[in-house]
Amino acid sequence: MSAVSTRPAARVGIGGPVGSGKTALVERLIPALMRRGVDLAVITNDLVTAEDAERVRRSGLIDPARVAAVEAGACPHTVIREDPTLNIEAAAALERQFPGVELILLESGGDNLASTFSRDLTDFWMFVIDVAGGDDIPRKRGPGVIRSDLLVVNKVDLAPYVGVDLPRMLAEARAVRGGRPVLTTNCRTGEGVDAIVQQLEREVLFRQ
Amino acid sequence: MLRLHGIVGRADDAELHQRLHALEHAGALERVTMEEADLGRRRIRLTSDKGTDCAISVDRAEDLSEGAVLLLEPGRAIVLRVGVAKAWRLRARDAGAALQLGWHAGNLHWRVRFDGDMLLVLLDGPLAEYRARLAALLDAGLVEDGGDG
Ligand SMILES: Nc1nc2c(ncn2[C@@H]2O[C@H](COP(=O)(O)OP(=O)(O)OP(=O)(O)O)[C@@H](O)[C@H]2O)c(=O)[nH]1
Ligand SMILES: [Mg+2]
């Protein structure tokens, strides 16, 4: 790969409600991307701790130095939309420290259905919801569900236990998204993660 | 996939303008259109009006904006167009109404521009959904609805 094709590093946002599986998805994406030789770094956002960063560092999946933490101190959306300076600085610092980095994943703190990423911060962002949150979530038309570049519906394994009609949930999600993609995952098993990697390879890594 | 990195010029640059004009006559000018909502991205995949699959990037210090020339060769050029956002035009009846309107627009995280005494709300979705949020102010006549035309 020539330098020109990897610069600037793609910045990919991962947002979504509390507990939908954002960190679990990061933990699945790291090995899947590394297997394909993608030079990677991660930024996590938490309220007043570095909890998710510590979890990813301890995971053994990635050099802990490649995991940076941003503490929002306030509502998580403030640092990914209103003033993303802290995250932009964290990404720039990772790029300086690891000049070959091709992709930086930025996990937002768990927020609500209205949270969105500023384009100043990310080239592409996904919104992670989960079936246990209820199959009416897409119908509620939150900006995250509608405007994200990719909607991920996680925890598909739980659908039978929480009485969720998954095909209907997906149809309604597609209906409100005007043709933009919707993918499903089970981050407990890794099912569906490859399709997300392919999406990233096409849309921002330009590998296919 | 055609890999394009960096901006080689501006379409409104006088000298470049002529070259692009000549290329257009020869049918060798291609345009890629980026939606206004994508402004700010430094990496994006777009298909040109002639069907070329373009993988576009610029350095963080550069901006993808209207008229950026992405490719300039003797027999071919590619120019970026940026779609224009629809804007909903609003005027508040008095200072009190303007305070309320400003509070709502901020609270709703709307993207806004200012044009004299008008507030312009950039629309990322159907106008009806925006109107519904200000129904109380509009119905009370505190804010004049200038439409998105
Ligand atoms: N059954 C099931 N559980 C999952 C799946 N993905 C994540 N979980 C579980 O859901 C819980 C929350 O996952 P996290 O990855 O911490 O969620 P998060 O979105 O990062 O949470 P915050 O950062 O706190 O907002 C954990 O107990 C995960 O093990 C899945 O696909 N299926
Ligand atoms: Mg998390």
Side-chain angles (χ1 to χ4, degrees), chain A residues 4-11 77 81-82 119 123-124 141 147 149 202-206 208, chain B residues 1 3 5 37-45 53 55-60 109 124 129-130:
Chain A
V4 80
S5 60
T6 59
R7 211 177 296 132
R11 295 179 185 174
H77 58 78
R81 180 178 55 208
E82 286 84 352
R119 288 292 188 206
D123 303 306
F124 185 95
R141 307 182 57 91
R147 281 192 227 143
D149 298 302
R202 199 197 122 72
E203 297 302 325
V204 288
L205 296 173
F206 305 151
Q208 43 171 294
Chain B
M1 172 179 76
R3 190 69 184 86
H5 180 77
D38 283 328
L39 271 180
R41 288 181 65 165
R42 264 61 173 208
R43 298 180 74 91
I44 190 165
R45 190 93 171 234
D53 172 17
I56 301 163
S57 63
V58 292
D59 288 327
R60 293 279 156 204
H109 300 302
D124 294 311
E129 291 179 5
Y130 286 75

Side-chain angles (χ1 to χ4, degrees), chain A residues 19 21-24 45-46 52 55 107-110:
Chain A
K22 297 177 292 297
T23 308
N45 284 236
D46 270 306
D52 278 358
R55 173 171 150 194
E107 181 192 339
S108 163

Side-chain angles (χ1 to χ4, degrees), chain B:
Chain B
M1 172 179 76
L2 178 63
R3 190 69 184 86
L4 298 169
H5 180 77
I7 294 170
V8 296
R10 316 270 344 157
D12 55 9
D13 177 272
E15 187 241 349
L16 219 54
H17 187 78
Q18 296 204 337
R19 273 180 77 183
L20 293 172
H21 195 69
L23 283 166
E24 178 150 38
H25 265 277
L29 179 68
E30 293 183 46
R31 293 192 174 84
V32 287
T33 303
M34 180 164 90
E35 282 183 41
E36 197 268 352
D38 283 328
L39 271 180
R41 288 181 65 165
R42 264 61 173 208
R43 298 180 74 91
I44 190 165
R45 190 93 171 234
L46 296 168
T47 303
S48 82
D49 56 354
K50 289 194 165 38
T52 307
D53 172 17
C54 301
I56 301 163
S57 63
V58 292
D59 288 327
R60 293 279 156 204
E62 262 186 324
D63 263 323
L64 285 168
S65 57
E66 173 69 27
V69 181
L70 304 174
L71 178 80
L72 188 63
E73 290 174 347
R76 186 187 197 189
I78 299 181
V79 175
L80 182 71
R81 317 222 54 178
V82 179
V84 181
K86 281 209 158 191
W88 183 29
R89 304 177 66 83
L90 297 168
R91 180 182 284 118
R93 193 180 65 187
D94 52 32
L99 288 174
Q100 288 194 50
L101 175 61
W103 183 86
H104 279 288
N107 195 42
L108 290 158
H109 300 302
W110 284 347
R111 295 187 300 143
V112 301
R113 299 286 181 273
F114 302 95
D115 181 11
D117 63 349
M118 304 280 281
L119 182 74
L120 273 55
V121 179
L122 304 183
L123 301 180
D124 294 311
L127 178 56
E129 291 179 5
Y130 286 75
R131 279 204 172 110
R133 301 277 74 77
L134 292 189
L137 290 184
L138 294 167
D139 292 348
L142 291 173
V143 171
E144 180 190 323
D145 184 341
D148 65 351

Side-chain angles (χ1 to χ4, degrees), chain A residues 16 26 28 39 54-55 76 85 92 100 108 117 130 147 157 160:
Chain A
V26 167
R28 285 290 173 182
D39 195 322
E54 286 306 329
R55 173 171 150 194
T85 321
S108 163
F117 276 88
D130 69 279
R147 281 192 227 143
D157 54 307

Side-chain angles (χ1 to χ4, degrees), chain A residues 161-184:
Chain A
Y161 306 105
V162 291
V164 157
D165 180 346
L166 185 60
R168 194 181 79 186
M169 184 178 182
L170 296 177
E172 289 180 348
R174 294 197 168 96
V176 298
R177 282 177 52 77
R180 267 159 317 150
V182 179
L183 292 173
T184 57

